Amino acid sequence: MSESFTKSTARNIFWGAAVFSFLLFLALTFDTTAALPKRDNRANLTPEVVRGKHLWETNNCIGCHTLLGEGAYFAPELGNVYIRRGGDFIKAWMKAQPTGAPGRRQMPQFNLTEEQLTDLVAFLKYASEINTEKWPPNIEG
Amino acid sequence: MQYKSQAVAKPYFVAAIGLFVGQIVFGLVMGLQYVVGDFLFPAIPFNVARMVHTNLLIVWLLFGFMGAAYYMVPEESETELHSPKLALILFWVFLVAGALTVLGYLMVPYAKLAEMTGNNLLPTMGREFLEQPLITKVGIVVVALAFLYNISMTVLKGRKTSITMVLLLGLWGLAVFFLFSFYNPANLVLDKFYWWWVVHLWVEGVWELILGALLAFVLIKVTGVDREVIEKWLYVIIAMTIITGVIGTGHHYFWIGTPGYWQWWGSAFSALEPIPFFMMTVFAFNMVNRRRRDHPNKVATLWALGTGVMAFLGAGVWGFLHTLAPVNYYTHGTQITAAHGHMAFYGAYVMVVLTIISYAMPMLRGRQANSNKSQVVEMWGFWLMTVSMVFITLFLTAAGILQTWLQRVSSTPMPFMQAQDQVAIFYWARELAGVIFLIGLVVYLFSFFIKGEEKAKA
Ligand code: HEM
Ligand code: HEM
Ligand SMILES: [Fe+2]
């Protein structure tokens, strides 16, 4: 880099860039926050859904599964599993784990009560109704 | 070693390497579970191994960063550390807290652990990378603040260089953005939105400042190039980091419920994120070519150059591969992501920590550089680990492309588990490359115990 371009010029560029970038990012964040109510399905954030999310977290489902494409890549995407399988299947599935099929990837038994399963399904239904710009590309997730 | 108090860096480096070994062992467990699904089930379910693998990674990198700061800051500031004693106390607090957390993951069902550790007071657990119990998270904040106090006081009382300024900014940023891990609203979209303020703004924001500062420090030392030149580069690189990386966060806001315009903002800005990584590579090679001295520590120079190249490949090239929204629509959350995550973390953060360790450890042990024999063995470790990581990345990329095709692009999409079966051969190959990585790591460890004739005293 040329001599006339000094370290203090470089430092000023850095600070200018940092301030500008964060302000722009904050502006976009405000705009997003304003746009979210129409997209994030918050109308359906019922007490069941809130409890369901808590169960989702405290059983670390994200440690094997993705949810809206984020998480682990060991087991199927669950953001759309409510659409793919339906609530009854999900409940039956949770009760039937682990499959014990030799050599097949295993999912633990979480011993959830019927009420907890209803909450979990409510959460997965809520997640499936978020406007994700048509992601995933198809039902297999 | 010029200042006595720099010695506190040593336990930090030793702990970092020890936890690194643990991380890799659990990586191999998961790699096997990918193809032998019931391996160690139900003793260690996949999700538990994954938490241990990723959390150990983060904790050992933090140990590395802290050790680096304790080593660099006294030398840069030309003064003893504010409180070496505080640094040692924090070391033990952090190590014990980390060990207890990992034991908790392994011994107690996660739901039980959450209940025991106050997650019902303030639910923060159960999100990727942020699985730590509330008390651990609070502990991390306390240790980080006390650490920052110690380092900041040292900088304030001594010489202020651009390198310490950038390092401090990065470390403070690390602590500040971690605070978003305490925000976990019931609204899933908001949860995810701010989750990235920790994860993305760490690895593609403030951590890059730390990366730049560490690299600049080692390059000054091993090349003897004028500080003014190196620090000018550093500022330009981190300016590019911030310009591209902050709005670049948008590459995670394509499909999680956030407005569609993020597809434009995120794609455009993150497409430029490879630039600062490319500059780092050019920077490292340029400085080494213009070196004014031949430092006896050859292997530290190798690590520094390796960091430049591998960070550019892993973050820059593999990041670019899937960062444009139309591509990401198909690759989002597949093995392509895992491929990129591995090479980027290894190339940027693992390698820069190993760079500073390679430079500083001999000094901490009272010599300018290790014996030639020891350096050659360390170079074997470098090549074995780096080449296996390239292969891990290539195999995961192959698996990811096929997975994307079978499950997402094809007109008759295949269910997830069926598609996984189809690509199993690549998971076997990844596991094999992983075993070689572990062998490389053992060779690397071994190099620390090779004596040989000693070079000049530091
Ligand atoms: C050497 C042998 C290794 C093996 C076999 C291995 C295996 C794995 C596996 C199976 C996963 C879980 C992927 C999933 O979610 O389904 C994972 C995740 C991860 N590993 Fe490794 N790993 C290894 C080394 C490393 C190293 C050296 C690093 C650091 C540079 C690393 C960093 C990570 C990260 C960051 C994740 C989370 C990835 C993501 O969410 O995209 N691993 N690893
Ligand atoms: C050293 C710097 C970097 C590191 C350590 C890193 C690491 C990671 C990790 C671990 C993930 C997976 C996160 C998850 O589990 O959901 C990820 C995702 C991603 N990264 Fe990076 N990254 C870096 C730089 C970059 C750069 C420079 C780009 C763009 C050019 C990029 C583009 C992406 C994209 C698009 C995703 C989302 C993948 C998906 O949709 O599943 N990354 N990164
Ligand atoms: Fe990112």
Side-chain angles (χ1 to χ4, degrees):
Chain A
M1 271 178 266
S2 89
E3 299 297 318
S4 57
F5 181 74
T6 64
K7 185 170 94 183
S8 75
T9 317
R11 181 176 48 218
N12 293 340
I13 292 177
F14 165 72
W15 281 110
V19 170
F20 176 78
S21 299
F22 273 99
L23 288 178
L24 180 55
F25 191 52
L26 282 183
L28 287 166
T29 298
F30 276 117
D31 190 76
T32 298
T33 310
L36 280 187
K38 287 221 179 72
R39 311 177 49 96
D40 63 13
N41 197 23
R42 66 180 65 188
N44 291 316
L45 267 176
T46 59
E48 291 90 72
V49 173
V50 174
R51 287 197 300 269
K53 182 167 185 276
H54 192 69
L55 286 165
W56 169 267
E57 288 165 0
T58 50
N59 288 291
N60 192 223
C61 311
I62 203 81
C64 292
H65 292 277
T66 46
L67 183 65
L68 306 188
E70 294 168 3
Y73 322 114
F74 184 72
E77 160 71 28
L78 296 186
N80 66 344
V81 71
Y82 183 84
I83 302 168
R84 180 164 64 242
R85 302 291 197 186
D88 291 339
F89 174 95
I90 297 174
K91 286 187 178 182
W93 175 270
M94 298 292 296
K95 289 180 199 161
Q97 298 309 305
T99 60
R104 194 174 169 90
R105 295 181 191 173
Q106 296 295 306
M107 167 165 154
Q109 174 53 248
F110 294 102
N111 299 308
L112 301 181
T113 63
E114 196 59 39
E115 206 189 356
Q116 288 176 316
L117 288 176
T118 306
D119 293 343
L120 202 51
V121 168
F123 170 67
L124 291 171
K125 178 170 189 292
Y126 147 83
S128 73
E129 291 163 355
I130 290 170
N131 178 352
T132 56
E133 299 284 316
K134 302 201 170 58
W135 192 91
N138 65 60
I139 194 68
E140 298 300 346
Chain B
M1 200 170 75
Q2 300 171 9
Y3 296 87
K4 250 195 355 264
S5 53
Q6 287 176 289
V8 296
K10 196 166 163 184
Y12 281 86
F13 290 152
V14 173
I17 295 174
L19 298 174
F20 184 20
V21 177
Q23 183 215 335
I24 298 309
V25 170
F26 280 89
L28 289 172
V29 167
M30 277 192 291
L32 198 52
Q33 288 177 332
Y34 248 78
V35 276
V36 183
D38 48 3
F39 177 64
L40 290 184
F41 187 87
I44 306 181
F46 180 86
N47 62 312
V48 172
R50 194 181 200 276
M51 279 192 285
V52 176
H53 181 66
T54 56
N55 290 19
L56 279 179
L57 168 68
I58 295 169
V59 168
W60 85 257
L61 291 177
L62 292 181
F63 267 113
F65 291 165
M66 289 194 274
Y70 287 130
Y71 185 84
M72 286 162 59
V73 166
E75 205 164 302
E76 286 287 298
S77 307
E78 299 182 332
T79 172
E80 293 288 352
L81 193 63
H82 176 68
S83 169
K85 197 148 153 218
L86 178 60
L88 279 179
I89 295 172
L90 292 177
F91 170 78
W92 287 108
V93 172
F94 201 49
L95 189 64
V96 170
L100 285 179
T101 303
V102 169
L103 283 179
Y105 292 157
L106 288 168
M107 322 270 281
V108 188
Y110 193 71
K112 188 83 183 297
L113 184 67
E115 208 181 294
M116 282 162 50
T117 54
N119 190 57
N120 289 330
L121 294 175
L122 178 66
T124 65
M125 293 171 69
R127 295 172 303 151
E128 196 196 357
F129 302 123
L130 305 182
E131 295 94 348
Q132 310 80 20
L134 182 62
I135 42 177
T136 308
K137 286 201 182 81
V138 172
I140 292 174
V141 171
V142 171
V143 169
L145 287 181
F147 158 77
L148 285 167
Y149 161 79
N150 206 356
I151 291 291
S152 305
M153 290 304 282
T154 313
V155 170
L156 283 178
K157 78 173 171 178
R159 179 176 72 144
K160 289 150 196 70
T161 68
S162 301
I163 290 183
T164 49
M165 284 307 163
V166 173
L167 179 66
L168 265 185
L169 199 59
L171 291 167
W172 274 100
L174 187 160
V176 167
F177 286 113
F178 184 68
L179 296 178
F180 286 95
S181 73
F182 292 95
Y183 179 60
N184 179 21
N187 183 330
L188 184 64
V189 179
L190 280 178
D191 168 5
K192 284 175 172 290
F193 187 87
Y194 288 103
W195 180 84
W196 285 111
W197 285 38
V198 185
V199 178
H200 172 97
L201 290 178
W202 264 13
V203 299
E204 290 156 75
V206 289
W207 284 30
E208 268 183 74
L209 308 201
I210 301 173
L211 168 64
L214 266 56
L215 208 53
F217 176 81
V218 173
L219 286 172
I220 287 188
K221 298 292 166 180
V222 299
T223 65
V225 170
D226 190 13
R227 176 181 285 274
E228 282 299 301
V229 177
I230 287 193
E231 291 182 338
K232 185 161 65 176
W233 270 91
L234 178 59
Y235 273 124
V236 176
I237 290 172
I238 63 171
M240 286 313 294
T241 296
I242 299 295
I243 293 170
T244 62
V246 174
I247 310 293
T249 315
H251 65 185
H252 304 294
Y253 296 161
F254 297 159
W255 330 112
I256 61 164
T258 33
Y261 60 68
W262 281 108
Q263 290 173 38
W264 296 98
W265 287 99
S267 297
F269 278 80
S270 70
L272 303 175
E273 280 186 53
I275 294 173
F277 286 99
F278 184 66
M279 289 176 67
M280 258 183 250
T281 316
V282 176
F283 170 53
F285 276 89
N286 216 329
M287 295 307 118
V288 170
N289 285 337
R290 286 162 59 176
R291 67 182 174 275
R292 297 231 191 111
R293 72 161 86 103
D294 274 308
H295 197 279
N297 196 339
K298 299 276 178 267
V299 65
T301 314
L302 178 65
W303 280 112
L305 293 175
T307 306
V309 174
M310 294 301 291
F312 173 64
L313 279 180
V317 178
W318 255 263
F320 184 79
L321 210 64
H322 61 162
T323 207
L324 300 175
V327 177
N328 192 262
Y329 182 69
Y330 291 103
T331 62
H332 183 46
T334 63
Q335 297 300 320
I336 304 274
T337 310
H340 155 70
H342 276 86
M343 209 204 259
F345 254 110
Y346 176 77
Y349 300 115
V350 170
M351 288 186 83
V352 81
V353 168
L354 297 186
T355 301
I356 187 86
I357 291 180
S358 184
Y359 172 76
M361 244 344 206
M363 302 282 195
L364 290 166
R365 297 164 88 194
R367 48 184 178 262
Q368 185 87 16
N370 286 327
S371 70
N372 201 39
K373 224 158 89 197
S374 161
Q375 288 199 38
V376 169
V377 175
E378 189 179 336
M379 286 180 191
W380 272 94
F382 169 96
W383 286 109
L384 281 170
M385 284 193 278
T386 304
V387 171
S388 352
M389 188 45 83
V390 169
F391 276 99
I392 289 176
T393 307
L394 289 174
F395 293 138
L396 288 178
T397 306
I401 292 172
L402 285 172
Q403 175 191 14
T404 301
W405 184 263
L406 294 171
Q407 189 190 317
R408 300 242 172 106
V409 180
S410 155
S411 53
T412 50
M414 204 182 258
F416 177 93
M417 290 298 280
Q418 226 171 303
Q420 292 296 302
D421 278 343
Q422 297 295 310
V423 303
I425 179 87
F426 292 106
Y427 295 140
W428 279 110
R430 180 266 302 265
E431 185 71 346
L432 187 70
V435 170
I436 298 175
F437 189 100
L438 180 65
I439 294 173
L441 179 55
V442 171
V443 170
Y444 170 77
L445 287 177
F446 186 64
S447 76
F448 284 91
F449 298 98
I450 293 178
K451 297 272 185 317
E453 85 289 2
E454 286 202 3
K455 289 270 155 76
K457 282 265 184 200

